[in-house]
Amino acid sequence: MKIGVLTGGGDCPGLNAVIRAVVRKADAYDSRVVGIRNGWKGLLDLTTMDLDLKMVSGILHIGGTIVGTSRTNPLKDPAGPDKVLKNLRILGLDALIAIGGEDTLGAASKLFDKGLPVVGVPKTIDNDLYGTDFTFGFDTAVSIATEAIDRIHTTAESHNRVMVVEVMGRNAGWIATFSGIAGGADVVLIPEKPIDMDNVCDLILRRHSRGKSYSIVVVAEGAKFADKPGMNGKLIVQETRTDEFGHVRLGGISQLLAQEIEKRTQFETRYVVLGHIQRGGSPTAHDRVLATRYGVFATEMVHRGDFGKMAALQGNSIVAIPLAEATSKIKTVDMGLYSIAEEFFG
Ligand code: F6P
């Protein structure tokens, strides 16, 4: 068989581990793998690279993706799907493995309906893909955010400040909740629960009345104010222009939050946006293992013709679930888990 592999959307640690696993497993089947450059874009403009055992040697621990990525939407142009199918034939590919999040796999699902023999692998630091307990990349992002919170603790304490830490996650608060629990945050704010400023300030004041002179607030980039005039329920954005999948560029909530906390509590407050640091560098051991399991399983799915599905982690097993199901909605934070974070507020 000749298998294409592409990585789409925002990069994340572990992509190379999946690519390596696909090439190694394909080799065991005597199949060949072609890397599609820069996500769906490479299937539209026919830019590819051969992936052999030598190419994937030594990449397991390296962040990013050797085939490149983009946020190109192959369905944006009505002629896109036919072009993808035609180019698949031109490249002589029997199957495609698409490694991506809700956008890349949403496109894969629609292209499967049009005849594309595709299998999906769930990637995103946001951990918001439905139907899988965890996406790879998430554990690394949480580890990076937790280390940052640990560092922010010491400077917050030295200066008797409130520090607001903004983490990624788009419309789900998984990174905030996990890193908030792991980093011992005093308040964690997530998109799933609108921000009540009175409550946030009460928690900080309560903590400081107990003799603490500093606080750490972790906020997800997609969190929204419940009670700030003119901003209620609105996403705070850096860029209102949307990408090809209709997403705005989030960012800036921590600055507004810091200003409001300082104004209301009179405690000196600073903010820090962790940004793309959360997506860079080496994957954790956990993500290397998960990415490798996904890569091997997806290659097996291809060889048994199990198309239109995504490899998913359910409990401790990797299973195949329909792409249509995985992309039917996003997986938001389990509020039972969030209540664990709340136990430590204030
Ligand atoms: O989906 C992953 C993610 O890192 C989100 O957490 C974030 O909102 C977005 O991508 C940032 O995208 P970009 O790399 O295009 O700025």
Side-chain angles (χ1 to χ4, degrees):
M1 269 185 123
K2 196 172 169 193
I3 307 162
V5 61
L6 66 79
T7 57
D11 70 342
C12 87
L15 286 165
N16 285 329
V18 180
I19 295 169
R20 167 182 175 267
V22 168
V23 173
R24 293 284 290 267
K25 187 67 190 172
D27 185 68
Y29 282 109
D30 273 333
S31 290
R32 275 182 58 201
V33 182
V34 173
I36 311 292
R37 301 299 314 265
N38 306 317
W40 293 112
K41 186 168 184 295
L43 259 191
L44 294 172
D45 60 20
L46 282 174
T47 42
T48 62
M49 62 194 271
D50 282 334
L51 290 175
D52 56 17
L53 293 178
K54 204 160 154 236
M55 283 293 294
V56 299
S57 168
I59 65 167
L60 170 64
H61 65 291
I62 296 177
T65 160
I66 60 166
V67 295
T69 187
S70 73
R71 294 197 187 277
T72 301
N73 182 353
L75 301 158
K76 195 164 176 255
D77 175 355
D82 284 343
K83 202 166 180 190
V84 165
L85 292 171
K86 188 174 137 222
N87 287 348
L88 200 83
R89 281 195 298 277
I90 290 174
L91 293 168
L93 296 177
D94 303 298
L96 180 72
I97 296 180
I99 311 168
E102 48 152 342
D103 297 332
T104 304
L105 299 187
S109 178
K110 294 194 181 91
L111 290 167
F112 168 71
D113 292 341
K114 294 186 185 296
L116 184 75
V118 63
V119 158
V121 172
K123 163 246 66 157
T124 167
I125 63 163
D126 303 339
N127 196 39
D128 60 351
L129 253 173
Y130 187 71
T132 186
D133 292 351
F134 289 101
T135 53
F136 74 86
F138 171 66
D139 184 66
T140 308
V142 169
S143 300
I144 294 166
T146 303
E147 199 208 321
I149 295 167
D150 288 347
R151 289 177 185 275
I152 286 161
H153 254 107
T154 61
T155 173
E157 188 165 11
S158 307
H159 287 268
N160 304 317
R161 283 172 174 159
V162 177
M163 295 292 293
V164 182
V165 185
E166 179 173 322
V167 297
M168 281 186 168
R170 204 161 257 162
N171 299 313
W174 289 104
I175 300 176
T177 304
F178 268 65
S179 64
I181 293 173
D186 305 301
V187 181
V188 178
L189 301 167
I190 59 174
E192 290 82 349
K193 194 170 177 186
I195 303 170
D196 174 344
M197 273 318 297
D198 289 339
N199 185 239
V200 170
C201 293
D202 284 351
L203 288 167
I204 293 169
L205 288 165
R206 188 176 86 189
R207 178 175 152 83
H208 289 231
S209 72
R210 285 194 289 110
K212 296 287 185 188
S213 62
Y214 72 97
S215 291
I216 307 287
V217 177
V218 174
V219 61
E221 61 180 358
K224 303 176 198 95
F225 290 104
D227 56 0
K228 195 165 161 56
M231 287 184 183
N232 290 358
K234 283 196 183 145
L235 286 170
I236 309 301
V237 300
Q238 284 183 55
E239 175 69 77
T240 46
R241 248 183 323 149
T242 54
D243 67 17
E244 293 197 2
F245 288 93
H247 298 298
V248 289
R249 195 136 59 84
L250 297 175
I253 185 121
S254 55
Q255 185 177 8
L256 298 172
L257 204 55
Q259 284 165 355
E260 198 68 24
I261 291 170
E262 186 165 286
K263 193 170 90 190
R264 292 187 186 212
T265 64
Q266 307 296 306
F267 296 135
E268 194 182 8
T269 306
R270 295 282 193 275
Y271 69 93
V272 53
V273 181
L274 299 188
H276 293 81
I277 290 169
Q278 294 159 98
R279 284 205 337 228
S282 286
T284 57
H286 176 91
D287 274 337
R288 293 180 202 187
V289 174
L290 185 58
T292 300
R293 291 178 75 192
Y294 280 145
V296 168
F297 193 86
T299 313
E300 287 169 353
M301 287 167 72
V302 162
H303 285 88
R304 60 172 184 263
D306 208 3
F307 297 119
K309 295 193 183 154
M310 178 187 89
L313 180 71
Q314 292 186 354
N316 198 28
S317 305
I318 309 281
V319 297
I321 65 164
L323 277 167
E325 183 189 332
T327 56
S328 60
K329 55 182 170 183
I330 68 159
K331 182 183 70 187
T332 52
V333 166
D334 166 5
M335 295 314 279
L337 178 73
Y338 183 73
S339 72
I340 301 290
E342 282 181 312
E343 293 279 346
F344 299 88
F345 285 7

